[in-house]
Amino acid sequence: MKTFSDTFKSALREDRQLNAIISYKTDKAFYVLTTQDDKDLLTENDDILITQQGFLEYDKEAINSVNPLYNVSLLKTTCKSVQIDSNNKIAKGTWVNVKIGVYKEDTQNYEYLDFGNYYVNEEPTYQADSNSYLITAYDKMIESMVNYDDNPLSITYPIFHKNFVMAICNKLGWSYDLIDYPNYNKDVSKDLYTGQNLTYRDILDDLNGACGGSFMFNLENKLIWKRPTETNQIVEDNDLKNVNVDFGEKYGKVNVLTITTNGNVVLGSKQDETSIEENGKTEFNINDNYILNYSTEDFIDGLFNEINGLEYCLYDIDSTGLLIFEPLDIFTFRHNGVDYKTIMFNDDIKLTQGLVETTFAEKPEETEKDYTTTDKDKNKLNNAIISLDKANAEIVLKVTSDGKLSQVRLDGNASDGSIFEIKSDNIKLEGYTTINGGFQVDLEGNVICNNAIIKGSEVILSDNTEIIGGNGLLTNLQFQSTNVKWLNKLPGSYFLGYNYAYSTGAFKNWLEIDCIVPKDFKITEAYVNVYHTPVNWDGTRGYCRNLKLYKVLSPLNANINGAYLSEYEATYNYIENNTNALNFTANGTSSGEIATSSDIKNLLDVGFNKFTIHTSDSVPSVSADDNLNQKLGAYTGYCYAVVNIIGFKK
Amino acid sequence: MFIDKDSIKVNNISFGKYLVQAEYQYPKLWGNDTGRNLAGSFTGTLIGVFPKIIMQFRKLTKDELEIIAPILDSQSQNVTYYDPVKQQNITIKTYTGDWSIVNKSIVGHNGVKNEGFSISFISMRKRG
């Protein structure tokens, strides 16, 4: 509320003399324009004075009308304006000061109220019919109507809400006088505004939406934050014209706050159950606020505490002139003995030949939210959050309850492509599900892949290869070395080392293992086990040395020579390669051993395979007269081998 | 207030010698907000006082009338008079009302003059 004397209001009532002063400065002079002559304005009663600062031009007939006005919305910034109809042209870029005063008989002079300083931001409009100029000017808030992206703030996030506001003030060269308003110390956690094509005013409005009240300029040209403030002023019937007097219903008490986006998606809400029971429900809605969309939880408590309980009478009146109220002043109409407490939201003062002040208060825009999407359990409301970050193309849906979390995150701005991320203890998909057209899950739970079909217990690959599943099992094909027995009573085995024939002398023995790998048999693993037992050659312990595993190349093409009734043994001439999968020398004790080769699955061909096992040592040079038990027997053990091929039929 | 023979000048011409009477009126002009407030009381903004001087002329000769008539018929006049509120001579820009002259015989013959008449000088602006 403006400051005024005890006799101001009475001087304004009934018959009065009014004066308006418009003062401004140009390069040439200081101008004082009035609607009445006020002998106390100037020390000399001349129209033109020369002062140290230049010419002073005083014109008491230049002003035709003065019209200060403002419209306030809660949770938005306020910008006052003035329209002046003047015979003088006041150019764009001029700061004007406006005062309106009333003549007081007791002091025989005018008492003026200061309406502040205004900036003429457009060239005046010439009015030919009256040969005058219509000048429109705004308070300092007009300076925030500049694009943010052209000259953004250099701040680091997170940043306190109040520090953000002060950073804007410093950027725009504004003085400020800010109290610790609601949510002043809550973090604006990230940049929500860059690239959104906003003005600084838009951003201030957004910040205002997160703290309640209204940011505005006071009469000292400082940015302040103001909430509805009681003035204890009574406006009576003799302050009102006898036309256009309308007192309506009471709005409030506000007891529900909803934060929404897109007009109908509820991001959060709070309510006062006791007030709802006593007064009925009155909801205050904030829609599409960047800060609240992203950080609903952080700000909603402070905001609700600020707005809970708000109430005022709706009205629309023309008064004979009040002049004293500032935006958001609380005052009372007293009409026919009934009090109507209300708030100054809209004020339009028209001073022409006379003075009429039109003021009104309306309801905030009506909204009705669908509460079926929110639970009336206050605790559950706090655990369901939708966070929107339009600037960074991100939406997070999150619910928590007793430490359990379920969350979906859509991120269109991730560095490695867009992301759709689901976190939950259980993820359930219902209905026929497809992925990229190549993976499907039908209603019976069958999974169909472009590269595989899994149906019941069958797995069929894209090349129609079947994978054993369900009751199927891996197979171990085993092939044992089978060779001519040398001695009876020792089935399936062979003395492996050296033998002696009178016709050929000493020669090497070998194990021979034939393996058949079936067609369409997938080998997972293959190896050879050699089972070795030492032999007592007439007191000489014989055991194998340097047994190697050999793969016979083209086994069906062995050069085999034989003759019936011949004294000569049949001969075999294999072309074979050392597989390097086996290198076994027995330990020389009386114990048997099992030697295992490395994996030979890559050596196996489909169909017939032949392996041999024998020493890699050379055949000793002996004669029949030598002690062959010692010369040959000592290097000869008792062995058989088994090839294991593990796999499955496709 | 007529305090000496030159208390009324119109366009710098002293009219005192032509007048038998000067009536000074100080009507107030109220703004368009004038009316009754909701309590039934009179309310309104005083725009200002617009002085009006009604001059009663004596019988005038032909020559005298020919001096005065163009001034009376002009679009506006500058009237200087002594204002009791200002306590000094002030000059106001005025417009005149309608006026008429009565002749009862041939003017100039045998000393016949134009009969006396009155005319109003009304200030265009409020008194400063």
Side-chain angles (χ1 to χ4, degrees):
Chain A
M1 188 171 67
K2 294 181 179 61
T3 304
F4 52 93
S5 71
D6 294 339
T7 55
F8 180 86
K9 286 173 63 176
S10 58
L12 193 58
R13 285 175 180 152
E14 300 179 358
D15 57 307
R16 65 276 178 99
Q17 292 184 59
L18 300 169
N19 196 8
I21 302 176
I22 308 296
S23 55
Y24 60 97
K25 195 166 61 173
T26 69
D27 293 336
K28 296 177 184 174
F30 184 82
Y31 292 83
V32 176
L33 310 180
T34 69
T35 55
Q36 294 279 0
D37 182 31
D38 182 349
K39 63 183 187 308
D40 296 317
L41 277 181
L42 306 171
T43 56
E44 301 287 338
N45 198 15
D46 283 334
D47 285 353
I48 299 178
L49 292 178
I50 300 176
T51 69
Q52 285 184 340
Q53 292 176 338
F55 287 98
L56 173 72
E57 291 215 18
Y58 173 60
D59 189 336
K60 57 184 182 291
E61 294 184 350
I63 303 296
N64 301 313
S65 70
V66 180
N67 179 200
L69 64 96
Y70 55 77
N71 301 103
V72 183
S73 295
L74 271 179
L75 281 67
K76 283 195 182 297
T77 59
T78 297
C79 182
K80 299 180 194 171
S81 67
V82 65
Q83 261 197 349
I84 303 166
D85 187 327
S86 167
N87 298 333
N88 277 29
K89 180 180 178 182
I90 304 176
K92 174 182 174 182
T94 306
W95 280 95
V96 300
N97 177 264
V98 176
K99 292 182 173 60
I100 296 176
V102 64
Y103 186 80
K104 300 197 310 181
E105 291 291 344
D106 59 339
T107 56
Q108 296 284 301
N109 62 6
Y110 283 90
E111 178 177 348
Y112 293 97
L113 299 186
D114 190 357
F115 281 76
N117 300 304
Y118 301 85
Y119 181 76
V120 181
N121 73 324
E122 291 175 353
E123 285 297 337
T125 303
Y126 176 66
Q127 303 175 114
D129 55 344
S130 56
N131 192 28
S132 64
Y133 295 88
L134 188 64
I135 297 129
T136 304
Y138 302 88
D139 72 12
K140 277 184 82 70
M141 193 62 73
I142 196 71
E143 293 175 343
S144 65
M145 302 295 291
V146 291
N147 190 275
Y148 176 77
D149 289 331
D150 290 344
N151 191 9
L153 296 173
S154 298
I155 53 177
T156 305
Y157 294 90
I159 182 171
F160 274 4
H161 186 287
K162 185 176 177 182
N163 290 348
F164 200 134
V165 174
M166 293 194 293
I168 292 176
C169 292
N170 292 332
K171 187 71 163 182
L172 299 176
W174 290 350
S175 300
Y176 51 86
D177 184 7
L178 294 169
I179 62 173
D180 290 341
Y181 49 78
N183 289 333
Y184 80 97
N185 59 348
K186 293 296 189 297
D187 277 333
V188 179
S189 52
K190 59 189 285 187
D191 183 359
L192 302 168
Y193 304 118
T194 299
Q196 296 301 306
N197 199 28
L198 301 172
T199 64
Y200 272 95
R201 177 93 188 264
D202 293 327
I203 294 171
L204 275 171
D205 276 344
D206 201 71
L207 289 162
N208 207 152
C211 65
S214 177
F215 289 111
M216 63 182 74
F217 280 90
N218 65 8
L219 294 175
E220 296 165 2
N221 267 353
K222 292 182 180 179
L223 185 78
I224 62 169
W225 178 88
K226 183 175 179 180
R227 58 163 56 100
T229 305
E230 179 63 70
T231 64
N232 296 313
Q233 288 292 317
I234 309 292
V235 176
E236 298 174 307
D237 284 346
N238 54 11
D239 295 310
L240 306 179
K241 290 179 73 69
N242 60 358
V243 291
N244 190 30
V245 173
D246 183 18
F247 292 105
E249 59 192 284
K250 183 168 72 77
Y251 170 77
K253 296 182 180 183
V254 172
N255 43 38
V256 178
L257 172 67
T258 54
I259 312 295
T260 61
T261 182
N262 206 35
N264 57 6
V265 177
V266 180
L267 305 180
S269 72
K270 289 191 76 73
Q271 54 194 39
D272 182 338
E273 294 291 352
T274 306
S275 175
I276 291 174
E277 272 186 40
E278 291 175 357
N279 306 296
K281 185 179 83 175
T282 301
E283 174 189 333
F284 192 95
N285 170 250
I286 305 171
N287 186 59
D288 274 343
N289 178 285
Y290 284 84
I291 294 177
L292 297 178
N293 280 2
Y294 192 74
S295 308
T296 311
E297 275 191 329
D298 293 342
F299 285 83
I300 194 170
D301 284 348
L303 205 45
F304 182 68
N305 291 339
E306 175 64 19
I307 207 160
N308 187 24
L310 173 73
E311 62 175 347
Y312 55 90
C313 288
L314 310 179
Y315 70 93
D316 186 355
I317 59 105
D318 282 347
S319 78
T320 55
L322 304 172
L323 301 183
I324 61 175
F325 294 115
E326 286 287 298
L328 296 185
D329 281 344
I330 297 174
F331 63 99
T332 301
F333 286 109
R334 183 165 291 161
H335 172 56
N336 285 342
V338 178
D339 282 357
Y340 301 87
K341 188 179 280 285
T342 189
I343 300 173
M344 182 59 72
F345 285 112
N346 307 284
D347 199 15
D348 186 347
I349 300 168
K350 291 188 179 66
L351 177 62
T352 55
Q353 289 186 5
L355 173 64
V356 176
E357 183 167 346
T358 303
T359 172
F360 63 95
E362 305 174 310
K363 285 185 194 180
E365 190 177 316
E366 290 265 7
T367 54
E368 192 69 38
K369 291 298 164 296
D370 177 10
Y371 282 97
T372 58
T373 58
T374 63
D375 193 301
K376 290 193 172 39
D377 182 330
K378 187 178 170 182
N379 289 331
K380 288 189 181 178
L381 280 175
N382 287 335
N383 294 331
I385 302 160
I386 302 175
S387 295
L388 290 183
D389 180 1
K390 287 185 180 178
N392 293 298
E394 185 183 64
I395 297 174
V396 176
L397 312 175
K398 184 165 115 177
V399 293
T400 57
S401 178
D402 298 328
K404 294 174 288 186
L405 164 73
S406 186
Q407 177 174 301
V408 175
R409 184 171 74 93
L410 283 72
D411 184 349
N413 203 31
S415 58
D416 56 349
S418 59
I419 293 174
F420 181 86
E421 179 186 86
I422 304 173
K423 286 183 194 174
S424 196
D425 294 333
N426 298 288
I427 298 172
K428 295 182 181 179
L429 300 177
E430 301 285 339
Y432 193 91
T433 305
T434 62
I435 299 174
N436 291 333
F439 182 92
Q440 302 150 51
V441 179
D442 64 21
L443 296 177
E444 283 75 42
N446 295 309
V447 175
I448 302 170
C449 308
N450 278 354
N451 290 317
I453 298 173
I454 303 172
K455 198 168 184 179
S457 61
E458 291 181 351
V459 177
I460 305 170
L461 304 181
S462 60
D463 59 356
N464 290 321
T465 302
E466 282 192 43
I467 294 176
I468 295 175
N471 292 324
L473 52 84
L474 291 177
T475 301
N476 184 2
L477 303 176
Q478 292 185 312
F479 303 90
Q480 185 168 333
S481 59
T482 56
N483 287 285
V484 177
K485 296 190 289 285
W486 186 35
L487 293 177
N488 289 327
K489 303 178 186 174
L490 294 169
S493 60
Y494 197 76
F495 292 107
L496 182 60
Y498 304 107
N499 203 349
Y500 186 88
Y502 284 104
S503 57
T504 56
F507 59 90
K508 224 182 260 190
N509 291 335
W510 66 93
L511 294 181
E512 197 168 294
I513 311 126
D514 292 335
C515 314
I516 310 294
V517 178
K519 187 181 172 187
D520 297 331
F521 188 87
K522 182 169 174 60
I523 302 172
T524 60
E525 188 185 4
Y527 56 90
V528 179
N529 281 341
V530 178
Y531 300 86
H532 177 274
T533 302
V535 178
N536 181 6
W537 297 99
D538 194 26
T540 299
R541 180 172 293 152
Y543 58 92
C544 297
R545 276 91 159 155
N546 296 316
L547 292 182
K548 304 283 195 294
L549 176 68
Y550 298 85
K551 175 94 185 283
V552 174
L553 305 180
S554 301
L556 296 178
N557 297 331
N559 187 12
I560 302 172
N561 298 294
Y564 285 98
L565 301 178
S566 168
E567 63 183 294
Y568 297 102
E569 300 272 350
T571 61
Y572 299 79
N573 291 306
Y574 290 135
I575 300 173
E576 58 186 19
N577 283 340
N578 183 2
T579 65
N580 293 312
L582 179 72
N583 186 11
F584 172 69
T585 297
N587 59 19
T589 68
S590 60
S591 300
E593 298 171 78
I594 301 175
T596 302
S597 72
S598 59
D599 196 336
I600 60 169
K601 68 178 180 189
N602 294 329
L603 300 174
L604 291 166
D605 300 316
V606 175
F608 181 62
N609 296 269
K610 185 184 280 290
F611 293 93
T612 63
I613 298 174
H614 56 79
T615 182
S616 58
D617 294 341
S618 301
V619 179
S621 175
V622 297
S623 67
D625 297 325
D626 291 330
N627 185 339
L628 295 181
N629 289 319
Q630 292 178 355
K631 291 281 179 114
L632 301 179
Y635 304 94
T636 302
Y638 185 85
C639 292
Y640 70 93
V642 176
V643 171
N644 294 276
I645 303 176
I646 300 165
F648 54 89
K649 187 78 163 59
K650 293 180 183 176
Chain B
M1 193 188 295
F2 199 91
I3 59 172
D4 58 48
K5 62 181 177 56
D6 293 319
S7 275
I8 293 180
K9 288 183 178 177
V10 182
N11 293 353
N12 268 331
I13 298 172
S14 181
F15 268 33
K17 56 184 178 288
Y18 304 118
L19 301 180
V20 294
Q21 179 176 290
E23 180 181 346
Y24 298 85
Q25 294 182 353
Y26 302 97
K28 297 181 181 68
L29 186 64
W30 295 89
N32 54 13
D33 60 342
T34 301
R36 298 276 168 183
N37 61 28
L38 200 57
S41 305
F42 170 82
T43 182
T45 301
L46 178 65
I47 296 173
V49 173
F50 290 74
K52 175 180 177 181
I53 304 172
I54 303 171
M55 299 181 194
Q56 179 77 35
F57 286 85
R58 59 169 169 75
K59 292 182 181 180
L60 298 173
T61 66
K62 173 176 173 293
D63 292 340
E64 287 173 335
L65 187 60
E66 286 173 353
I67 293 171
I68 292 171
I71 296 173
L72 303 184
D73 283 352
S74 64
Q75 180 181 324
S76 65
Q77 307 80 36
N78 289 317
V79 175
T80 304
Y81 72 100
Y82 183 86
D83 188 282
V85 171
K86 295 292 186 180
Q87 297 180 11
Q88 60 184 23
N89 285 334
I90 63 172
T91 300
I92 56 175
K93 189 173 180 181
T94 64
Y95 65 95
T96 53
D98 296 337
W99 63 287
S100 62
I101 282 287
V102 174
N103 291 148
K104 292 187 176 176
S105 185
I106 299 173
V107 174
H109 279 191
N110 302 321
V112 173
K113 296 181 182 178
N114 295 291
E115 297 298 317
F117 65 94
S118 71
I119 185 170
S120 300
F121 289 78
I122 304 137
S123 176
M124 289 182 172
R125 296 190 180 102
K126 59 184 180 238
R127 183 178 58 195

